[in-house]
Amino acid sequence: MRNILRATMVRTWLGCAAVAPLLLAAPVAQAQVTDFRQAVAQAAASDADIAAFYRERNYEGIWSGSADRNRRNALMAAFAAAGDHGLSTSRYDPAPITARLQAATTPAEQASVEVELTRLFMQYARDVQTGMLVPSQIDSSILREVPYRSRLSTIRAFVQSNPDSFLRALPPSSPEYTRLMREKLAMERLLADGGWGPTVPGGKLEAGDTGNRVVALRNRLIAMGFLERTNTQTYDAAMVAAVQRFQQAHGLAIDGTAGQGTLREINATPESRLQSIIVAMERERWNNRPRGTRHIWVNLTDFTARIVDNDVVTFETRSVIGANQRDRVSPEFSDVMEFMVINPSWYVPRSIITKEYLPQLQENPNSVSQLQITDARGRTINRAEVDFTQYTASNFPFSMRQPPSNGNALGLVKFMFPNRHNIYLHDTPAKSLFGREVRAFSHGCIRLADPFDFAYALLARQVANPEEFFQSRLATGVEQRVDLVEPVPVHLVYRTAFTQADGRMQYRRDVYGRDGRIWNALAREGVAIRAVRG
């Protein structure tokens, strides 16, 4: 009777095919196997991926047996090192789960720990591979499509692999991630050793100054690695050069003077820099996919656009990004540049028409005369025949277009990676803005300081004389589309901490406050700043 009841329970959880072999086992072993499998099925039932995984394995465990020791130890070691990746150590604390493993004596207890380890593995794999946070939930302008991997496929592959090698391969393999992690560990050692010492008090310092404040600046620069050890108490040529190196590494105007902005960055705490590094690592996980052998890298905080070939920057130009206003900030996303337009028209976005130009037209119908006003069929309307005061933002029926010209808002060329956000790279007649240290002035698109040279660099792979090719079409004054034979991936990113190829760190200001919001979200998930000895 006992075996009949047991067979009925097994059939419920495992299917009829599993019953016969189980009934052939010895009664005690049979009970243990059956009870464990039933308990695994029950514990896994609330998670579809975990349930499917164990169903495929006939509800056999992968962590609990003596033969699973290497796999279990590898996972515990990965959990213990989660903090090295800037992840929450409390989320995968190995101590409680180890204690539960050791204390589990009944099949139900063993099955509960078994399934919990699988859940934690899946959580850790996703966190270290593609990030702890969902970007768009932190900031609606972070439009990045995170390359999430299948949880079920990941654990299937894991049980077929060397566990140590598999877990080591989960984080991003990019050189940037490796360099950021190395710098994170170095900063944690620095914190344990006391940081960079006292901050620099007071206001501006410049060449020729002397006194205690100069000494404080000297000591801070030495501690940060920008100045060789010296006993000088004068703001001498060596200190000017050190300040210039510091300014270059922090995206500041390079004048060798420690003014208000430079001192603010010099006095930044190691903790704040470490926060930026941890956020950058999370961002690198969000973008954990190949960037492209050739790609365009636009770092919004750095106000630059670069063409990168085989991990080497082959072209760089300054940029202007969206103004720090809710409806003007430049978003973050990746797409593919397909073509450029020489002598472009500017088709004014609806939001600009209704918010900026309609009020002007209501005041004076002849305002913004550089723009054509067109109807739904593209015909230019006569302004004198329209009473603009009768329209509102919701019912304004016209479009606006600026024909090609030297004064066109897009300049003389635009670079298109068609996207629903209507964001692209382009020239501009407002050249003076590129001389500013902080260049956040546009409506969201990216303006380039050297758009012609940017075009030549892109065209060099498909025409023999890119400059002649471009200029001959520019000279016509007619709008012309030029397709790129090799479309180029474009990445609009936001990194306040990033590295150079030689490993040296670069820091930038949090222009939109996005990284501050990301850090706060990470902290809520248990990520913490730590100081590490040795």
Side-chain angles (χ1 to χ4, degrees), residues 54 105 159 192 201 209 226 333 349 362 372 434-435 440 505:
Y54 281 108
T105 56
V159 296
D209 287 346
F226 291 98
F333 64 98
Q362 290 171 335
Q372 296 176 349
F434 293 106
M505 286 300 302

Side-chain angles (χ1 to χ4, degrees), residues 73-310:
N73 290 343
L75 184 63
M76 294 303 177
F79 287 171
D84 293 348
H85 293 276
L87 300 176
S88 169
T89 54
S90 60
R91 183 178 283 193
Y92 337 94
D93 186 354
I97 199 72
T98 300
R100 285 183 61 189
L101 273 169
Q102 294 171 344
T105 56
T106 69
E109 291 171 342
Q110 292 166 347
S112 176
V113 179
E114 167 73 31
V115 172
E116 177 64 8
L117 271 172
T118 296
R119 186 193 68 78
L120 286 172
F121 165 83
M122 288 180 166
Q123 182 70 67
Y124 172 80
R126 174 156 290 189
D127 289 352
V128 79
Q129 198 167 51
T130 47
M132 295 179 63
L133 306 176
V134 178
S136 60
Q137 292 179 359
I138 308 304
D139 190 300
S140 60
S141 295
I142 307 177
L143 305 170
R144 188 153 306 287
E145 296 180 3
V146 180
Y148 294 118
R149 276 65 160 181
S150 162
R151 299 164 75 231
L152 184 54
S153 297
T154 298
I155 196 163
R156 283 171 177 163
F158 175 65
V159 296
Q160 299 297 322
S161 307
N162 176 281
D164 292 296
S165 299
F166 188 94
L167 289 164
R168 282 196 299 268
L170 283 176
S173 59
S174 65
E176 177 70 358
Y177 189 85
T178 300
R179 292 192 292 258
L180 286 169
M181 186 170 175
R182 185 183 302 126
E183 183 66 17
K184 174 185 177 293
L185 299 175
M187 289 291 286
E188 290 170 342
R189 291 191 294 271
L190 173 73
L191 275 177
D193 292 336
W196 292 312
T199 57
V200 183
K204 179 179 177 181
L205 288 168
E206 57 188 344
D209 287 346
T210 60
N212 292 335
R213 293 179 56 242
V214 171
V215 171
L217 175 61
R218 177 203 70 191
N219 293 343
R220 191 85 171 172
L221 290 169
I222 292 172
M224 289 178 164
F226 291 98
L227 179 65
E228 295 290 334
R229 191 165 296 280
T230 174
N231 292 322
T232 185
Q233 298 185 24
T234 301
Y235 200 132
D236 56 15
M239 283 189 64
V240 169
V243 170
Q244 289 174 330
R245 286 190 289 272
F246 179 90
Q247 290 168 331
Q248 188 281 326
H250 293 77
L252 305 170
I254 303 174
D255 59 11
T257 296
Q260 182 179 4
T262 296
L263 285 175
R264 185 184 304 113
E265 299 302 313
I266 285 174
N267 286 334
T269 65
E271 289 87 350
S272 68
R273 297 306 188 201
L274 190 49
Q275 289 176 8
S276 295
I277 293 169
I278 292 171
V279 168
M281 293 174 72
E282 175 75 356
R283 287 181 169 281
E284 191 71 8
R285 291 189 285 265
W286 293 345
N287 200 31
N288 186 11
R289 56 159 59 97
R291 296 176 180 177
T293 304
R294 158 169 275 205
H295 63 270
I296 296 165
W297 190 257
V298 181
N299 187 357
L300 302 177
T301 68
D302 189 37
F303 308 107
T304 57
R306 297 179 172 92
I307 297 176
V308 182
D309 292 294
N310 297 307

Side-chain angles (χ1 to χ4, degrees), residues 304-373:
T304 57
R306 297 179 172 92
I307 297 176
V308 182
D309 292 294
N310 297 307
D311 296 325
V312 176
V313 176
T314 55
F315 180 84
E316 179 176 344
T317 184
R318 289 167 293 164
S319 69
V320 167
I321 68 171
N324 189 16
Q325 300 173 25
R326 185 184 59 81
D327 58 345
R328 293 192 179 189
V329 295
S330 295
E332 301 171 51
F333 64 98
S334 295
D335 214 299
V336 178
M337 184 176 291
E338 300 174 5
F339 61 95
M340 67 182 71
V341 178
I342 303 173
N343 296 314
S345 296
W346 181 40
Y347 296 90
V348 186
R350 177 79 180 178
S351 60
I352 298 178
I353 292 174
T354 57
K355 291 180 182 180
E356 298 184 27
Y357 294 149
L358 177 56
Q360 296 181 50
L361 291 169
Q362 290 171 335
E363 290 286 332
N364 177 8
N366 294 316
S367 64
V368 291
S369 57
Q370 76 276 18
L371 301 176
Q372 296 176 349
I373 302 176

